[in-house]
């Protein structure tokens, strides 16, 4: 590079270079500003493994002294901020910050100034210094004794994990001139201690029988490493197993299960024996049964003496008033007098009480009877939650259509509407944002959706007969009746919607959930239908081109208003001779025209859907005993069969859709729809890295009164939770059709496949990175004339593929996500031009809240 060009290059980036030099100087000079003479700033802990890395992720946790934290992965900003103040105030401010915040005032500061013999400071606020001290981080001064303690802790951890001969040496690298130091740990783990043979000694035959039912589930096995953490997990497993079999007092002292390793012959191959003894006399364990069950309904614990006793099915209720019916207090209880004790039933009862959203548990007692310690009496003390609960919230959301939007909402919960713990939830919410103006892409126009909904929730199945014997109370059955309405204005057409439904819920356990929706009804009415071509000018251009090609005479009639646009389009679609004469660009134009008419029918249709939906959810996410969880959400929807019994009229539903039967002059949809969303998560490196896999399969089959799936139930591609290299309605699909992209972008279809693979890597507790690959597309179930039919022999080559990287930022309880995605394979481009990675390095950016899956 010539000196001339180098000078220009430097001038262009001088701000960057100046900033980099300033940062370097700050880093070099400011970090040791407040390190006392003769002391050292700890800058790094180094770990070296003599015979192979082992427990590398856990070892740093056992070091008691860690360097100052670095922000943005590079700089100790907290230390810089602490060092930014004058050292003469440090002692005073260090003591000042130990006092409770409510008494930190000028009076306290003045007293500390006097205490430290600085009367000249009296009256000074020291706001800047206090702020920097409060959010800054003092320098971590090397304590060589802590290094020795840390080395010993690391060695003990290796012994705990089965490496009895492990050794950890330590040293320090001291730089007196720079007043900096590093601590070094040399770890030698050597060969582990192996369980040569595993035995168990359980004198109680009943306990032994339970333990032996499935020995393969034991976490302790011969030929494995003698790992103390595994032994502790095995003790917990046995405790849980016995408590589920009715042994309430099993191992209450935590001393009844113990392991003995015989090290007389060897320290490397040792026999291990597990013993279970209730006491030195090997007194047999006794099973526990549920005794008296008492439920106290009161405002506060002191109200107990004023309650009135009532009973229902063997349970005693003590009520302060009749605000709640006794059966409403009985429904959440899984327990039954005389039943064998099972810990999960006690836990389920607490969960059911909380799920009613009507009570708080003031107190909970489990008491073994003095005269019979195998009977457990249980008492619940419940207080009602407030009758009304008003919540006002405003959320910030993002979508690739609306960009950033604001979502205000108001929710009012009215509890115990009919005395049976029923809750009425009424809500009003909205989403307000902006969308791209279809006529002028450089401008954006207001878009919004305002909705109101009422949901009446019942803590039982709403049936005309008793259901608790059919569906046990341990499934926490519940019902809801939902009524709602909404007004939407997005691309100018806008919609008015009404929805209603009867929903049933049942939780088999904390993993499996069932949901059944009956009479799930949705009415969607489209506004501004006649202005469709005003909002979709590209469609208008395609239409006019086909009209001109077909008949200039009819174009004149159309321009004069003699025939409508739909009538003109119908004439063309019914003219098979004209269609057979087309080839080349004219045929391509006609296919694009036909797709635009399909889009118009779907966008402008009024639709009435009444369906039955069954939803099965299997969710292991968040369960500590499932390190590689699975998530499955399977749904089937059957729509329109009820309305088909009552219709006798037909109306034209669109140019392509043709005539449809109606209810109240509104076409109703008939279809069956299947959705399966399955995800698998694999964790690595002590659960810190995650490989997430997702497969979505969706099929919608219209029949009877419907030739296509309704707009609100059809599939499309793209977006931050889908195939991220394409935006929502961004031109991917259907199949590998070669229609005009601006028309194809709004195409929707009946079958969808999406595969996602994402690898997530944490950088810090706050920042996380990800690399991903997405693939998928949408297809039709039959050939519509331009190659969108799904075929097993072709669908792999018709899947769009994208890849990219992303960052996740965890702030409080919110995860912010930014993904940059690149197209790799675009099936809607001509053959030979479909591999597009590298054509442009401008990514598709996806901003969203939460993980994509």
């Amino acid at each position: 590079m010539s000196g001339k060009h180098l000078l220009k290059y430097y001038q262009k980036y001088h701000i960057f270079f100046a900033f980099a030099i300033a940062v370097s100087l700050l880093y070099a000079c400011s970090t040791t500003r407040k390190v006392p003479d003769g002391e050292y700033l700890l800058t790094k802990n180094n770990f070296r493994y003599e015979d192979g890395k082992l427990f590398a992720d856990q070892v740093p946790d056992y070091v008691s002294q860690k360097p100052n934290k670095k922000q943005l992965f590079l700089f100790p900003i907290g230390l810089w901020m602490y060092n930014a103040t004058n050292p003469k105030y440090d002692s005073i401010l260090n003591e000042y910050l130990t006092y409770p915040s409510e008494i930190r005032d000028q009076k306290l500061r003045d007293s500390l100034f006097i205490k430290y013999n600085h009367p000249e400071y009296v009256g000074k606020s020291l706001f800047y210094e206090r702020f920097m001290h409060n959010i800054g981080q003092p320098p971590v001064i090397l304590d060589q004794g802590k290094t020795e303690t840390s080395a010993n802790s690391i060695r003990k951890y290796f012994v705990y994990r089965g490496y009895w001969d492990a050794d950890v040496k330590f040293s320090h690298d001291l730089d007196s001139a720079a007043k900096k130091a590093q601590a070094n740990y040399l770890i030698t783990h050597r060969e582990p201690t192996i369980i040569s043979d595993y035995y168990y000694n359980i004198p109680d035959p009943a306990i032994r029988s339970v333990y032996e039912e499935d020995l393969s589930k034991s976490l302790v096995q011969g030929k494995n490493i003698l790992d103390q953490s595994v032994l502790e997990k095995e003790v917990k497993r046995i405790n849980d197993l016995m408590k589920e079999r009715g042994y309430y007092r099993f191992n209450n002292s935590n001393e009844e299960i113990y392991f003995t390793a015989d090290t007389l012959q060897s320290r490397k191959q040792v026999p291990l024996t597990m013993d279970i003894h209730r006491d030195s006399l090997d007194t047999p364990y006794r099973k526990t049964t549920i005794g008296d069950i008492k439920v106290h309904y009161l405002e506060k614990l002191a109200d107990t003496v004023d309650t009135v006793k009532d009973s229902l099915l063997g349970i005693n209720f003590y009520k302060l008033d009749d605000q709640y019916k006794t059966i409403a207090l009985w429904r959440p209880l899984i327990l039954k007098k005389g039943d064998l004790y099972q810990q999960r039933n006690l836990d389920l009862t607490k969960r059911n009480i909380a799920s009613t959203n009507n009570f708080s548990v003031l107190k909970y007692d489990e008491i073994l009877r003095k005269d019979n310690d195998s009977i457990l009496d249980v008492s619940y003390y419940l207080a009602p939650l407030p009758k009304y609960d008003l919540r006002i919230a405003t959320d910030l959301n993002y979508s690739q259509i609306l960009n950033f939007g604001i979502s205000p909402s108001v929710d009012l919960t009215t509890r115990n509407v009919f005395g049976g713990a029923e809750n009425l939830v009424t809500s009003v919410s909205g989403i307000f944002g902006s969308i791209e103006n279809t006529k002028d892409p450089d401008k954006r126009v207001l878009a919004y959706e305002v909705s109101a909904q009422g949901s009446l929730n019942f803590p039982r199945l709403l049936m005309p007969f008793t259901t608790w014997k059919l569906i046990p109370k341990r499934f926490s059955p519940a019902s809801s009746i939902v009524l709602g309405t909404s007004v939407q204005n997005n691309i100018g057409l806008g919609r008015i919607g009404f929805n209603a439904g009867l929903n049933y819920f049942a939780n088999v356990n904390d993993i499996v959930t069932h949901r059944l929706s009956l009479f799930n009804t949705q009415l969607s009415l489209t506004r501004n239908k006649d202005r469709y071509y005003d909002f979709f000018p590209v469609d208008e251009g395609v239409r006019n081109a086909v009209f001109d090609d077909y008949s200039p005479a009819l174009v004149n009639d159309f321009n004069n208003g003699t025939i409508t646009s739909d009538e003109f389009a119908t004439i063309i679609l019914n003219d098979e001779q004209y269609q057979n004469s087309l080839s080349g660009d004219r045929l391509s134009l006609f296919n694009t025209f036909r797709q635009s008419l399909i889009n118009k029918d779907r966008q402008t249709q009024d639709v009435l859907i009444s369906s039955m939906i069954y939803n099965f959810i299997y969710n292991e996410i968040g369960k500590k005993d499932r390190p590689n969880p699975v998530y499955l959400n399977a749904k089937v929807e059957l729509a329109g069969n009820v309305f088909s019994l009552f219709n006798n009229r037909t109306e034209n539903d669109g140019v392509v859709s043709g005539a449809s039967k109606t209810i109240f002059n509104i076409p109703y949809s008939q279809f069956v729809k299947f959705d399966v969303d399955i995800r698998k998560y694999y964790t690595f490196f002590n659960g810190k890295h995650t490989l997430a896999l997702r497969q979505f399969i969706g099929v919608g089959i219209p029949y009877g009164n419907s030739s296509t799936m309704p707009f609100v139930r059809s599939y499309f591609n793209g977006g931050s939770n889908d195939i991220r290299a394409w935006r929502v309605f961004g031109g991917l699909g259907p199949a590998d059709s070669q229609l005009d992209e601006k028309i194809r972008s709004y195409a929707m279809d009946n079958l969808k496949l999406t595969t996602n693979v994402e690898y997530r890597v944490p950088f810090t507790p706050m920042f996380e990175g990800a690399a991903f690959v997405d693939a998928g597309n949408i297809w039709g179930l039959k050939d519509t004339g331009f190659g969108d039919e799904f075929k097993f022999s072709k669908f792999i080559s018709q899947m769009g593929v994208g890849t990219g990287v992303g960052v996740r930022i965890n702030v409080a309880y919110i995860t912010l996500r930014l993904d940059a995605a690149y197209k790799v394979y675009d099936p809607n481009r001509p053959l030979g031009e479909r591999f597009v990675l590298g054509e442009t390095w401008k990514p598709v950016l996806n901003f969203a809240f939460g993980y994509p899956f």
Side-chain angles (χ1 to χ4, degrees), residues 413-431:
T413 299
T414 305
R415 294 186 173 92
N416 195 34
V417 178
F418 305 121
E422 304 89 354
N423 291 345
L424 174 63
V425 181
T426 52
S427 63
V428 178
S429 61
I431 301 176

Side-chain angles (χ1 to χ4, degrees), residues 397-461:
N397 61 70
Y398 177 85
S399 72
Q400 290 181 326
I401 294 179
L402 281 179
N403 282 357
F404 283 100
I406 187 172
S407 303
S409 63
V410 179
D411 299 312
L412 175 64
T413 299
T414 305
R415 294 186 173 92
N416 195 34
V417 178
F418 305 121
E422 304 89 354
N423 291 345
L424 174 63
V425 181
T426 52
S427 63
V428 178
S429 61
I431 301 176
F432 300 90
S434 64
I435 61 171
E436 185 180 279
N437 190 322
T438 53
K439 292 186 177 180
D440 186 353
D442 295 330
K443 295 182 179 179
R444 299 187 69 85
V445 296
L446 175 67
Y448 63 85
E449 181 176 358
V450 179
S451 61
Q453 182 165 286
S455 176
L456 183 58
N457 304 313
F458 300 82
R460 63 185 184 279
L461 294 185

Side-chain angles (χ1 to χ4, degrees), residues 505-544:
F505 308 89
N507 300 317
V508 176
N509 48 44
D510 60 349
I511 292 178
V512 176
T513 301
H514 299 273
R515 173 174 177 168
L516 177 65
S517 296
L518 299 179
F519 316 114
N520 188 288
T521 302
Q522 182 173 357
L523 172 62
S524 179
L525 304 175
T526 304
R527 301 183 296 166
N528 304 322
K529 294 181 182 182
D530 296 337
R531 298 181 58 195
Y532 175 83
Y533 289 109
D534 292 342
F535 302 122
F536 290 89
V538 175
D539 293 57
E540 183 180 27
V542 171
R543 180 199 66 178
N544 292 341

Side-chain angles (χ1 to χ4, degrees), residues 714-734:
S714 297
Y715 298 108
F716 58 89
N717 287 315
S720 59
N721 298 323
D722 195 69
I723 306 171
R724 283 163 277 188
W726 279 266
R727 299 188 181 279
V728 176
F729 298 117
L732 174 60

